Amino acid sequence: MTQPYVIDEMISAKTIAARIEELAGEIRTRFADSDKLVVVGLLRGSFVFIADLVRELDMNVEVDFLEASSYGNEMESSREVRILKDIRGEIQGRDVLVVEDIVDTGHTLAHVLKILNARAPRKLETIALLDKPSRREADIRATWTGFEIPDEFVVGYGIDYAQRNRNLPYIGCVRFTNDT
Ligand code: PRP
């Protein structure tokens, strides 16, 4: 069940595209000596971001996915992170970039990095399109962040509210219309 809401545009598709181009340049520099970069998208939220990001990376990449879930209900993060689907490839001795749509409490990213680090990659870096530092509980920060945002409920560009709105081409802010 969802309450009635409207969506206000927060970050336009054009602004996102420009930022991804910048970030891709920094990633290419950091991994300039990589034979083939393993880009791991965290499902489901990162599917739009990873698609746009890898198309800006003019280098050899292997795309893999890992599905983690941290939200026990529609709006609140729980501390328990479950791995629902692991990556398919081996990453020992390899260069890996984890792609996250949003870092909120940080528990998801912290948990995923712990698991992947234990497999002894050569380099392991992270990129998050959005960061909500005010919500952080785990001591973690992505190597690259697209945009720092305030503690607003956001949707679009892969991010959902109750499995809706992932297909919006921009990042929007949810405003509940029955707020008093
Ligand atoms: C969301 C989001 C991040 C994570 C961030 O995923 O996509 O992966 O929560 O929260 P955290 O920093 O508090 O851990 P979610 O578990 O909702 O799954 P989804 O990507 O399938 O929407």
Side-chain angles (χ1 to χ4, degrees):
M1 284 285 285
T2 57
Q3 303 168 39
Y5 63 98
V6 294
I7 299 168
D8 298 327
E9 185 174 286
M10 183 190 252
I11 308 171
S12 72
K14 211 171 156 184
T15 304
I16 296 170
R19 183 71 180 124
I20 289 178
E21 209 180 311
E22 266 176 21
L23 291 166
E26 293 176 26
I27 292 166
R28 274 198 305 268
T29 304
R30 178 74 59 97
F31 291 105
D33 63 344
S34 280
D35 177 37
K36 188 165 61 164
L37 177 65
V38 184
V39 183
V40 176
L42 303 195
L43 293 171
R44 289 177 259 183
S46 75
F47 78 103
V48 178
F49 182 33
I50 191 173
D52 283 347
L53 182 66
V54 293
R55 283 180 292 175
E56 286 297 327
L57 286 177
D58 186 16
M59 59 192 293
N60 285 330
V61 298
E62 177 176 325
V63 177
D64 209 331
F65 292 97
L66 183 149
E67 184 167 10
S69 183
S70 67
Y71 280 31
N73 62 34
E74 288 167 2
M75 292 182 66
E76 283 301 313
S77 272
S78 69
R79 283 163 195 278
E80 192 192 338
V81 178
R82 284 176 304 152
I83 301 297
L84 305 178
K85 180 212 166 296
D86 203 345
I87 53 173
R88 297 209 2 212
E90 296 285 334
I91 57 165
Q92 186 174 1
R94 302 191 60 192
D95 292 343
V96 179
L97 175 68
V98 173
V99 180
E100 179 59 298
D101 51 327
I102 183 166
V103 183
D104 190 346
T105 65
H107 290 302
T108 304
L109 194 57
H111 187 79
V112 167
L113 288 183
K114 199 171 144 194
I115 287 171
L116 296 183
N117 256 322
R119 298 176 190 175
R122 186 175 83 112
K123 271 188 208 166
L124 178 60
E125 305 287 4
T126 51
I127 182 167
L129 181 69
L130 304 177
D131 188 9
K132 269 191 199 174
S134 61
R135 294 259 307 160
R136 196 72 87 257
E137 291 174 11
D139 183 17
I140 194 136
R141 199 182 151 74
T143 317
W144 295 280
T145 295
F147 306 92
E148 268 194 18
I149 59 167
D151 186 13
E152 301 279 2
F153 198 80
V154 290
V155 290
Y157 203 75
I159 301 172
D160 74 304
Y161 169 46
Q163 301 308 328
R164 297 175 192 207
N165 308 124
R166 289 193 198 269
N167 55 332
L168 286 177
Y170 55 86
I171 296 290
C173 178
V174 170
R175 194 159 46 81
F176 295 101
T177 48
N178 62 355
D179 281 354
T180 48

